[in-house]
Every structure is written in structure tokens, then in C-alpha cells.
Amino acid sequence: MRPAVSFSSSGQVFRFGQYEADARRSTLMRDGVRIRIQDQPFRVLLLLLEHPYEIVTREELRQALWPEGTHVDFDGSLNVIFKKLRAALDDDSENPRFIETVPRKGYRFIAPVASELGKDSGTTKIATDQAPVLDASPPVTDASNRRSLLIPQVAAACALVLLIGLVCFQFWRRSIGVPLDASAHVPVRKSVAVLGFHNVTGRADDAWLGTAFSELLRTELAGGDKLRLVSGEEVANLHLASPWPDTDSLDRVTTARIGNALNSDLLVLGSYTTSGRSNGGHLRIDVRLQEAGTGEILSEIAQTGEREDLFEVISGVGASLRNKLGIPQLPAAQQASVAASMPMNHDAARLYALGVAELREFDAVAAKDLLQQACVADPKFPLGHVMLARAWNQLGYEQNRKDETKRALDQSTNLPRTDRMQVEGDYYESLPDHEKAASTYHALFELFGDNVEFGLQLAQAQVASGGTLQALETLHQLRRLPPPASDDPRIDLAEVRATSNKPTELVLVQNAIRKAASQGKKLVYAQGKKEECMVRIYGDQPDLGIAACKEAYKIYMAAGNRPGAADALRLIGDRQGALGNFEDSIATYQQAFDAVQGLGEHLKTGAILNNMADAYLAEGKVDRAEQFFRQALANFEQGGEKYNTTVVVGNLADILYLKGKLPEAAKMYERALSLGEKLDYVDLTSYAEYRLADLDLARGRVKDAHRLAQQAIDALRPTEGGYQDLIRAMFVLGDALQAQGDVAGARQQYEQGLAICQKKGFMELAAKNQVELAGLALEDDHPSQAEPILRAAIGEFEKEKADLDATRAWIALSRTLLMEGKLEESRSALQQGGERSRTSPDPAIKMDNSIQRARIALARVASSEINPDFLAARGELRSVIDKAKQLGYYQLETEARLVLGEMELKVNPRTGRAQLMALASEARSQGLELCARKADHMLAGFAQVASAR
């Protein structure tokens, strides 16, 4: 009988999940950050932590919290305490990770707990309590959805998920051992790989039995957590890349190779025969257990039965293997949990096995159809929903994936604890809520530190939630395992995601490639080559990167992994585009697009279409680019992929803005801004903000432009890595300040942006900054300062083939030369810009060109009589004003009206004065102070000339 509970943990520190409770200091920490918690909830937490996995009754809590004679609303007060406690732990009473309510009894702490004496005591211990079989489990309901996210680098992330088995084809059951500590010895269990069973009779209708036998036998052997089972996905990937013969036993060389590659001590394989009708008759399964290192046959088992008794036959094989391995038979309660991990009927088992086999052959469409049928045949089979979620994920249907993981979670109540935690972690990943997923995987990895899969899942979730330091520590714990576990190449690939040092990334990738090659893991080798491609392409050796991607492509195609092949091709296309080889880039993207056709997926297809649109845009084929952007958007929307949907909405807004469709572009930017705010991602919202600010400025809404640009800057300044967006937002704010007449403020923005560009090596952006500063020099009437700046910027733009930026710079240079009195050079510079503007889809650049042509015509009139060129330029200027009004370019309209007013002063002074006075008043009312000052200056100058006459 347990003694009465009391608060006796005066010097202990308890660790569970990401939390640490220090009894002596009365503090609760999460990943080193203190969590606010009141005294009574904290005391209850300590009491539960002292008795993990045990029910603490409500009466025991009453006696511990309130002395005899205390009058209090006990039930109400206790409910409030637990509500506050769960809030501090981010726990859910309906789907608990830490504190479980046991109806009509009390509460118990259900997560692994490590405890040690406080530092002042000078001694340390680790709690080794084992979890008993629970007699009741609460129903599981939906958890809150904080935000939706897709990690940038979609293709690489999806490939990493494929390799580490984020959603495993089979979940493993483990006994609860010593919670993992960085310095503690990790118990390493015997590991078993079920290699499969070949069909002796060769009947096609019975082929599914081989997969079914393997899946069911893994489930049977995993029960009780005494063995570590290698996942079916790992086995299938290895067999696909480095096949072994379909025989009842293997030679020593082969078993050693397989055992080393799969980190497995024991191998299970064999064959089966059937007789009679496909929906009845008999079956026989012959099983051999071999020692991986020596190839020794440890046991040979033959089991027969009726086809309808499939589960009983496998159960008999499992019992025989357990006896041979000295593993105790399962008690009734654990047998019930194992049964919950299996389909309820023969038809569901057949459809599930067929679906899993298709998924492992990278045919997600066929797998999805079969697994949907399996879930209809047995709606309460949780692993069927897990596998169906995996198929939806590969096809890019995020909402469908989320729905199926929720169904799996709802049906996971009777699964063993590790299974339920695995399903729970997968559910949080689907939301995605990476922090909660990391917390779940952390608890799982503490239970079973010898499981590389669990460690890799934890590290990936930690990286996704921003905990790169924690991810590195997790991976270092995996490296402390004995080989071959510590030599798993996926550990190196996972560490690439947790580091930002390019030389370190390349070393890690090369280590992974070397290990994968020596272990015969060709698909992992291909993933390593693709990672090498990314590191080199975005580093100092892009040519070597292309070669790595080509090698990865060949391996993926040979294995039938078309999604992986498409990823490799897309990276090659990206590099070709970066070099300006847009035709080659488009051809490569088309090849990648062809690779994924017929797969029914949307994420990779959308990414390929988006990048192809970028290449068409770079070629100046704007309509073609818009077509592909819209196709990309349709794919992302169909898949429910919100992050990239927002990205493409912004891209479409840019296209519409470029084509002069300002109202449509504004709506698209507003949509992108709304989507970005819902996703809570700074890069998405900030991009939409400063692009909409630029558009608002073009429309003359200078206050809105100022506000939006400032919001983007305020959001981007604290972030690391978003420097280019920050600089562009500073451009827009500088332009807004300049339009408002704050030239000093504008200069400050441009100079700060230039400093960042020079520090980070952004030469093209630096050239844009120089153009902005040259514009300020013109406003200060210092054209001689602007000319060399603009010529240098033009050289940079032409080197980078940035035609639109080069056109703007040529027009600015023409204006500069005109102010210097170099009339013919000004005309020549404008011709350079005019040649480019004629092929541009941007009406703004054409109008700007016409305005400068009018300035030149006006300058030529200063020393001669009004000529036909002057009159033609004035007529063209009026057309520009009409066009600007039609399209909504208010700022260009005012610029054209300024020049027109000055021209009118030459031919009709009264009209010119009236126009300029009206413009000054109107511009000032709109906040365009600089334009108003220019109009005032023209009027004052004209008045001086008139009075002098």
C-alpha cells in the first residue's frame, strides 16, 4: 500500500519533456525560460511528479493542500488549480501529454520523469520508475491549431521526411527504461528486422500476404517493448536500393551487410504457400531467424492454418520467436494493445498491405485509393488512417493529411503508449505545431534513446520550431550510441538542417554520402547527393553541385522515386536560371514537371511551375509567366498548402503590378497580407506590406505607403537572414519620405540600406541604392555627383541582366545629363532607356520615358523658337497624363503635370500658372510635399523672370 502523499521533494529537480521543476527554488522552466506559475498549482505539480504513473486521489490532494478545519469550495478550487497547472504546461485535459484525469478517482502524471537532488545537496540520481499498464485511457479529441506552416525548401524537407520516416509504416512498442540523459548510459535492446516473405506458389492474388505477414509480425514482436523493431520502410528502402535474394535464408556476407545497414542484430525472413480458393483455403508460413553478424540460423518455425485465421497464424509465429529469444509472452492487457494495432478483419488487412506496398514503391495515388478502402473496411484501425495521411502528404493535400491524422489520434486510445505518442506527434506535425510535436518526441526519445528514428524525428521537430541548439544536442546523443546506430548517415543529414555554417554543412553531407555508400543505402546516398548539390550551388562550387544533382537524379529514377528525381532537376533548373540560362532552365523545369506528371501530387508540381514562371518572367515573357504562376497557385490551393499559396499570390500581384493593373495587384497584395498574417510568418507579411506600400505610393497614397513600409521594416529588423527584404522595404520608405518632402529622412534610409548591401555583398541591391541616392543629388541640384554613381549602377545592372533596373537608371542618367547642360548626351542616354522600355510590359517605365523626352524638348526650346518636337512632346505628355489617370499612377500623373505646366508657361503663361497652382494645392493635400514644392519653385521662377522683363 502506498504511503500518504506529501510535499517532501524539498531539494529535488524534476525533468519531463521540455520542462524542469525545481522544488527548492519553486521555479518551473521550459527550455531554460521561466514559466509563471502560482504556488498551489506548483505544489500539486510536485506532488504528481513525486508519484509518476500513480493515481493521486482528490482526497489526498485536499489533505495536502488544505489543513484540517479549512473551509473552502474544494471541488471548484481544485478544478481551478488544475486548469492553471495545465495552462502552464500547455497541456490538454482531453488529450493529455502530462496530467491525466482518472474519472471518479483522481489524477496521475503520465509522462517519463527524471529527478535529481538540487545542486546544494551535492548528489544526483535519475528516476527509473516504470510505467505500469494503464487500466483506463481518456478519449482523445482535437488539440488547438496555432498556426499553419510549410518550411521553406519544400522539396528537400519532404525528402528528409521520407528518409527518417516521420510517419512510420509501423510503430514500435518499447518498454519504459531509464529516461535519456546526456551523460547517462542508454540501454540498447536487441533489434530485429523483418525482411519479408516470398510467395512460393506465385499466385498474384496472394502477393499481398507477404507485406501483411511482415507488418503483422513486426506488431506482434514489438509488443511489450523488449525488442527494437526496424521499420518496414527502412527495410523496403534498403531492399529497393540493394536487393537480396528471395530465399528462406541468407549467407553470412549478406546478413552482415543487411544487419549493418539496418542497425539490426537479428533478421527474420521466410516464405509462404497457399492452397485452395483465394477467399478461403489453407496457408503455411515458414520462418527463419538468423543472427545478422554471423548468418547463423537460430530458429526455424513452420506454422499452418486457414486463410481466415491469418492473425492467429502470425500470433503463433510471434509466440515461437519470443520463446526462442527468451522474451516473455505478453500479458492479457498488452495483448489487447497489440490487437488494437492490427486491422479487425481480413479484407482491411489485405487492402492495408496493398496500400503500404504501393506507398513504398512511391505510387501515392494507388496507395491512397487502397488505404481509403482499408479505412472503410475498418474505420477504427488507427494505422490505416496514419498511412492514408502519409499518402495525402506525399500528394500535397495538407488538409486531408490533417484530417486523417486526427482520425488516427481519435482511434489511438487503446494503442500502447509509444504508439499513441507517435500518433500524437504526427498529428501535431500535420497542424503544424512543431513545438508540441517536439515535446511529444522528446518524451518518446527519453523513453527509448536507442531508437535512431525517434531521435531524428525529435531533431527535425526541434529545428522546425526554432530549437536548433536542442536539435544539435539530440543528434549528439545519437552519435553517442554504439555503432552501427551512431554511424547512421541520416544523423549527418539531419545536422545539416541544424547548422548554418557552409563548410560544416559540406563536411556533414560528404560524411553522410560516404556512410550511405558503404552501407548500400542508395536512396540515402541520393538524398546526400541532393543536399551536396544545394550546399555547393549556393556556395562557392556550383558546377560540382550540378554534377551531384545529376547523380541523385539518376539514382532516384532507377529506384522509381520520381518525386526525388524532380527535386534534383528543379535544383539544376534553379542554378541555370541564376546563371541567366533561362531557356535551359525552362527545359529542365519541364523535365521535372514531366517526372511528376501522373503522380497526382501538388506541392512539387506547384514549386516547379512557380520557378518556371520566374524563368519566363526573366525572359520578359510576362503573359507566359502569369499563366504558370496561376497554375502553380491552383496546385498549392488544391493541396491546401498555405505558405506557398501566399508566396504565389504575392508573385501574381507582382506580375499584375508590372503590367499596370494596379487595382487587381492591390487586391492580390492585400490577399497575400491577410494570408501571411494568419500564418504568422514575418517574411510573408513583410513582403506584402512593402510591395503594397510601393503600389500605394505609385497611386499617390503616400501616408499609407509610409505606414506599410515602416511596418515591414519594424518586423524585419529583429529577424536574421531577411536582409534583402529589409533593404527593399527601406527603399520604399525612403521613396515615401522623399515624396513627403523629408529628403534628409529619405537619405538616411538609402544610406542605411547601402551599408547593409555593402556589408552583405548584395551588389545589385547596392546599385539600386546608389540610383536612389543619385536621385536625391538631383533634387539637391548636384547632377555632377549623380552622373558617376548612375554610370556605375548601369554597369552593374547590365552585368546582372537586370533590364528593368537598367532602363530606370538610363532615364535617370538622361535627366542628370540634361541638368548638366549635356543635351545630346541626355538624348543618347534616353535612347538607351527607350529601346528597353519599348519591349517592357511595364506602362510606368514607358510613361517615365515620355516625361523625360518632354523635358529634353523643353530644354531645346529654351534657346530657340517653339518647334514641332516641342508640340509633339507636349501632346505626348497629355496622353501620358490621361493614361496615368486611367491606370491609377497618380505620382506619375503629377510628375507629368509638372513638366506640362512648365511647358505651358512657354506658350500660355496664364494656363501654365493655373495648372501649376492647382497641382501644388492638390499635391500638398495628398501629402506629396516634394511635388508641391517643385510646382511652387516653378511658379516663383517664372514670376522672377516676368518681373525682370
Side-chain angles (χ1 to χ4, degrees), residues 387-431:
M387 290 296 97
L388 180 55
R390 176 65 182 275
W392 284 124
N393 184 43
Q394 289 191 14
L395 293 172
Y397 288 86
E398 291 300 304
Q399 186 58 49
N400 291 11
R401 173 198 177 193
K402 188 187 303 182
D403 292 343
E404 288 304 322
T405 55
K406 178 60 171 62
R407 292 186 182 101
L409 188 66
D410 290 343
Q411 300 296 336
S412 67
T413 303
N414 295 322
L415 292 177
R417 180 177 300 277
T418 49
D419 287 17
R420 193 170 71 183
M421 293 171 72
Q422 187 79 46
V423 174
E424 180 185 327
D426 190 46
Y427 170 69
Y428 288 135
E429 290 281 11
S430 74
L431 294 181

Side-chain angles (χ1 to χ4, degrees), residues 7 9-14 20-30 33-46 49 85 88 118 120:
F7 298 109
S9 54
S10 58
Q12 286 186 289
V13 177
F14 298 93
E20 177 181 288
D22 189 324
R24 187 178 65 83
R25 293 183 174 86
S26 297
T27 58
L28 177 64
M29 311 285 282
R30 174 172 176 167
V33 179
R34 185 166 180 172
I35 305 297
R36 294 182 62 183
I37 185 171
Q38 295 178 350
D39 176 63
Q40 282 190 322
F42 185 70
R43 292 168 65 198
V44 169
L45 174 61
L46 293 179
L49 291 171
L85 177 55
D120 294 345

Side-chain angles (χ1 to χ4, degrees), residues 92 192 253-254 288 333 373 377 412 428 440 485 600 610 634 704 717 823 827 943:
D92 186 345
V192 179
V253 174
T254 304
R288 284 173 176 77
Q373 295 177 58
S412 67
Y428 288 135
T440 300
N610 179 79
D704 289 339
R717 277 195 191 279
L823 186 60
R827 289 184 63 189

Side-chain angles (χ1 to χ4, degrees), residues 461-480:
Q462 287 170 327
V463 170
S465 62
T468 53
L469 292 178
Q470 294 95 325
L472 287 172
E473 177 55 33
T474 298
L475 295 170
H476 291 164
Q477 290 180 24
L478 289 176
R479 294 189 190 281
R480 296 186 191 107

Side-chain angles (χ1 to χ4, degrees), residues 4 214 289 794 863 928:
S214 298
L289 176 67
I794 288 170
S863 58
L928 298 172

